Amino acid sequence: MKILHTADWHVGKVLRGRARADEHRAVLKELVELARAEDVDAVIVAGDVFDTSAPTPPSQALVMQTLLALREGGRQVVVLAGNHDDPRLLDVWRPVLGALGVHVVGRFRRPDDGGVLSWTTRAGEDVRLAVMPFLSHRFVVRAVEALTDTPDQHNRSYAARFAQLAAALTAGFGGDTVNLVAAHGTLPGGKLGGGEREAQTIFSYYFEATAFPPTVQYAALGHLHRRQQMPGPCPIWYSGAPIAVDFGEEHNSPGALLVTVEPGRPAQVREVTLASPRSLRTVNGSLEELEAQAESLQDAWLRVVVAEKPRAGLADRVRQILPNALTVDVDERFRPTAARREGGGAARAARTPRELFRDYLAQTGRDDPRVIALFDRLHDEVTASGGGEG
């Protein structure tokens, strides 16, 4: 059988105030086209379908439409909750999408109640898929343990109980079936993509690769945004994110995985790079240098580091040259070092607001007559209304 493994869509993501709905629509359309072109038997979406636990109606509509398109032709489609998703919302979707053939798992379930999915492929192969959505630490570590145990004990407890759950879900795996696991979480040694939620990627949320028994022929993971294979007793892969969610991921290769597997043999994996995601780039240079690069940067979201002395209106000028600049920073080499003020706090207290503001502008390299004039006008208005000089 052939599987399309994807994860970490983060639909609804807003990058520095810019909505990315059009990008997500193009990326998800490309995934649907990939499933059709490769004639896959199943699609696994290993968590973080949404970017927030309260996705907007348009975000939900886009995901719903994509899942139904992936289901076309009788493909099996499996979706599990990630740490960004609200498992309760996915469980609300569960009966409706389940009636349409899309398997949705928001929270851990018993093997006989949706924790293990079974079906037969077009080629007659029997499939067993253990579904392991994101497991919150607060559900694993009990209140009494949280009060009495050490952080290291909490970490070991989390990993041990994850392994117990995996053992319970994979206990029925045999040699004559295609045996799969889909999970969302962090394995030790995994390389971060750069945009993951740090609080849920730390050691206390790790589980061990040994949680997956050798009877598993493929473990489809989500959470780390960099596509990578992990060492373990069976083939274990993160599909990576199909779209870079932040500038920490600008050097990643957004894509998905095509997996071919048959009973009794390890899966064969092929990496696929997607063409539609908009790139994220960090550029550095003077205004003149940035202007020279402008034409080649039209299709990317930009983080700009300006190699010039800070001054009023500099960011506006950069955005005139590069309209896709989402952030504008000054190169550290051009940031002035604040000079020490003589006389200490008492001397500063004796200075007027006008003097203090002028000192601030001078020390931060923002000395501009227009800004000073505006401050003086505002200051006069305030003091004229009885605010006083101090």
Side-chain angles (χ1 to χ4, degrees):
M1 67 173 297
K2 185 181 287 188
I3 304 162
L4 173 60
H5 171 199
T6 179
D8 298 287
W9 291 357
H10 289 273
V11 174
K13 173 68 178 178
V14 175
L15 181 61
R16 305 296 196 273
R18 299 288 185 101
R20 308 183 71 187
D22 289 343
E23 294 176 72
H24 267 114
R25 193 171 293 108
V27 167
L28 297 183
K29 179 182 178 183
E30 188 173 357
L31 285 174
V32 171
E33 291 171 349
L34 178 63
R36 291 169 177 164
E38 294 289 339
D39 193 25
V40 301
D41 298 281
V43 180
I44 297 175
V45 186
D48 281 356
V49 180
F50 297 108
D51 191 60
T52 72
S53 60
T56 63
S59 293
Q60 295 188 53
L62 176 57
V63 168
M64 185 83 73
Q65 292 162 4
T66 301
L67 295 178
L68 294 178
L70 289 170
R71 170 64 178 158
E72 290 173 1
R75 298 183 198 92
Q76 299 292 327
V77 179
V78 181
V79 184
L80 54 146
N83 58 298
H84 281 251
D85 301 314
D86 183 350
R88 297 167 300 180
L89 174 63
L90 294 194
D91 281 343
V92 167
W93 284 21
R94 177 179 171 80
V96 177
L97 288 180
L100 299 173
V102 178
H103 309 283
V104 179
V105 182
R107 287 173 281 200
F108 269 80
R109 308 184 75 89
R110 296 179 62 87
D112 58 355
D113 186 33
V116 177
L117 304 175
S118 302
W119 70 86
T120 302
T121 68
R122 293 171 293 180
E125 301 162 319
D126 291 327
V127 181
R128 303 289 182 271
L129 170 59
V131 186
M132 306 185 70
F134 177 72
L135 183 62
S136 174
H137 202 272
R138 67 179 180 272
F139 294 126
V140 174
V141 179
R142 299 169 183 168
V144 64
E145 294 171 329
L147 293 174
T148 60
D149 291 349
T150 66
D152 283 346
Q153 289 173 316
H154 296 165
N155 300 344
R156 290 194 296 271
S157 179
Y158 183 92
R161 291 180 183 176
F162 183 94
Q164 289 177 335
L165 291 167
L169 292 172
T170 59
F173 284 6
D176 58 347
T177 55
V178 174
N179 302 319
L180 310 169
V181 172
H184 191 92
T186 308
L187 283 175
K191 297 179 181 178
L192 302 183
E196 300 88 351
R197 184 174 290 172
E198 184 176 355
Q200 290 163 340
T201 314
I202 57 178
F203 191 73
S204 59
Y205 279 93
Y206 279 28
F207 54 83
E208 299 291 340
T210 51
F212 306 126
T215 53
V216 175
Q217 292 161 270
Y218 183 73
L221 303 189
H223 185 52
L224 300 187
H225 293 179
R226 181 177 296 184
R227 194 166 60 254
Q228 58 193 297
Q229 183 177 15
M230 303 298 297
C234 63
I236 304 172
W237 280 81
Y238 284 99
S239 67
I243 184 172
V245 302
D246 211 334
F247 284 98
E249 301 182 11
E250 61 182 290
H251 299 300
N252 289 357
S253 175
L257 295 170
L258 287 169
V259 183
T260 304
V261 60
E262 59 184 276
R265 295 189 178 185
Q268 301 297 313
V269 180
R270 175 159 60 96
E271 300 183 54
V272 178
T273 301
L274 300 180
S276 58
R278 193 169 185 174
S279 62
L280 276 58
R281 293 184 59 180
T282 298
V283 292
N284 189 310
S286 65
L287 290 178
E288 184 178 352
E289 291 168 334
L290 295 174
E291 197 159 10
Q293 302 177 63
E295 187 173 349
S296 64
L297 300 173
Q298 292 179 354
D299 296 328
W301 292 122
L302 304 175
R303 176 171 58 183
V304 182
V305 182
V306 191
E308 294 204 8
K309 181 180 176 181
R311 57 186 181 273
L314 180 61
D316 292 337
R317 177 61 184 133
V318 169
R319 290 190 171 93
Q320 288 176 355
I321 299 171
L322 301 170
N324 296 332
L326 301 186
T327 65
V328 179
D329 297 313
V330 174
D331 192 311
E332 290 186 358
R333 297 172 300 166
F334 293 84
R335 294 178 184 174
T337 302
R340 293 186 177 180
R341 298 179 183 175
E342 297 180 0
R348 287 195 297 272
R351 299 172 68 83
T352 67
R354 295 176 190 270
E355 293 169 332
L356 291 171
F357 185 69
R358 283 164 169 74
D359 285 349
Y360 166 77
L361 292 177
Q363 291 169 7
T364 57
R366 295 180 173 88
D367 195 358
D368 188 303
R370 295 170 298 173
V371 177
I372 292 172
L374 178 60
F375 179 86
D376 287 344
R377 190 179 74 185
L378 294 173
H379 183 268
D380 289 342
E381 291 176 0
V382 172
T383 54
S385 63
E389 185 72 27

